Amino acid sequence: MRGRAAGAGRGDRAGARGCGDYATNVALQLARAAGRAPLDVAGILRERLLDADGIDDVVVTGPGFLNVTLADSGETAVGLVAEVRRLGPAYGHGDALAGQVVLLRVPYEVRAEVVADAVVRIVATQGGRAEVEHGEPVNLRPVPAPEDPAPLGADAAQWALLHPAPHDRPRITADHLVQREANPLFRVRYAHARTRAMSRGAARLGFGAEPGPVAAREVVAALADHPRILTAAATHRAPDRLARHLVTVADAVLPLLPTVLPRGEEKPSAAHRARLALAEAAGTVLAGGLYLLGIDAPEHL
């Protein structure tokens, strides 16, 4: 479908402030050869595209850009956001390990203890129960930390030990404390805090969240993948999978946030309410995931 929308011109994902899933300048490309104004060509292409299967809407903007919305994107966002709002922190919980007792034998080592503690919580989300013992033979032995992570503080130490894959040696360095985009922990916690700020801002403006169609495919895809990630993290005893997924959610939602609240003379609209609902759903997933990793999810950052 992307090729059909793009045609001979350039086709790209619509930006966070766009009004569709894809945008293309094909009308501008064809206008000169056709001897027509770009807006005229865009209007003709719009009518043709609206008849194509899988396309919900086409909006002409600027000098003749075509903004294409795929048919299923809005419905998917509405249903997903409604489910997250209904389940709250329990979104993604399932019964993949229902009735199972998972025995974790770990060495007396700080990283192994931290990983086992997170696994206990994650296994519980899938209906199982994990028990931790010490002694041989061990069945959970991540590569040990090269030094004591305690000087990083509780949250950064947890992240430093849980974010790397078990076979990777964790870095116990001060870059886990840096409040910049290069720090994945900062991006996750900052994204959560910003979603909460959106809710407070909307309340001050007198409107609330309401699930609706919204062009934010990356956010929807990341949230929809959350149940699968939780199941995989539980069955493989791998909290690092959850940690990396939270980074994916954060990186997807951050570009959406500047469009959530009205700007300038704008009035709150259905689009703002839908974006707010999606942002709040992302915040719910981020908070729940951080809790499972034993990390605080701040309201302000």
Side-chain angles (χ1 to χ4, degrees), residues 20-236:
D21 296 309
Y22 297 96
T24 176
N25 65 352
V26 63
L28 281 71
Q29 298 271 340
L30 297 176
R32 177 173 295 183
R36 303 282 295 273
L39 282 174
D40 292 339
V41 176
I44 295 170
L45 293 176
R46 178 180 183 275
E47 295 303 318
R48 297 290 183 89
L49 286 169
L50 285 173
D51 291 333
D53 292 336
I55 290 182
D56 181 64
D57 194 15
V58 181
V59 177
V60 179
T61 59
F65 291 101
L66 294 165
N67 297 267
V68 182
T69 300
L70 303 185
D72 64 345
S73 60
E75 290 83 349
T76 299
V78 172
L80 177 66
V81 171
E83 183 180 8
V84 177
R85 288 166 65 87
R86 178 175 63 86
L87 295 175
Y91 171 67
H93 294 201
D95 57 2
L97 299 178
Q100 296 187 34
V101 177
V102 177
L103 181 59
L104 303 173
R105 290 193 181 92
V106 301
Y108 287 99
E109 191 277 322
V110 62
R111 189 185 184 195
E113 300 276 8
V114 168
V115 170
D117 184 58
V119 170
V120 169
R121 288 188 293 271
I122 294 171
V123 165
T125 71
Q126 302 304 307
R129 179 166 59 89
E131 298 179 352
V132 181
E133 295 182 355
H134 296 88
E136 299 291 341
V138 300
N139 59 9
L140 183 65
R141 192 198 295 269
V143 173
E147 56 189 286
D148 182 8
L152 294 178
D155 290 330
Q158 288 282 118
W159 183 266
L161 298 176
L162 293 173
H163 180 253
H167 56 271
D168 292 331
R169 184 174 297 278
R171 294 179 298 102
I172 310 302
T173 54
D175 55 343
H176 293 296
L177 302 174
V178 175
Q179 298 201 18
R180 296 177 183 170
E181 291 185 357
N183 178 4
L185 174 60
F186 170 74
R187 296 205 305 275
V188 171
R189 301 178 82 211
Y190 177 70
H192 171 264
R194 290 297 297 154
T195 64
R196 297 300 185 241
M198 295 300 104
S199 298
R200 294 191 296 271
R204 288 193 294 269
L205 293 174
F207 76 98
E210 183 177 333
V214 56
R217 187 167 292 271
E218 288 79 6
V219 186
V220 173
L223 298 186
D225 204 30
H226 185 63
R228 182 189 67 82
I229 295 294
L230 270 186
T231 300
T235 56
H236 295 283

Side-chain angles (χ1 to χ4, degrees), residues 229-254:
I229 295 294
L230 270 186
T231 300
T235 56
H236 295 283
R237 326 305 187 231
D240 60 289
R241 298 192 183 196
L242 174 58
R244 290 193 296 273
H245 175 63
L246 296 183
V247 177
T248 299
V249 173
D251 289 345
V253 76
L254 280 170

Side-chain angles (χ1 to χ4, degrees), residues 262-278:
R263 305 178 75 176
E265 298 300 317
E266 279 187 303
K267 301 297 183 183
S269 66
H272 292 113
R273 291 190 290 272
R275 294 182 196 128
L276 176 61
L278 185 59

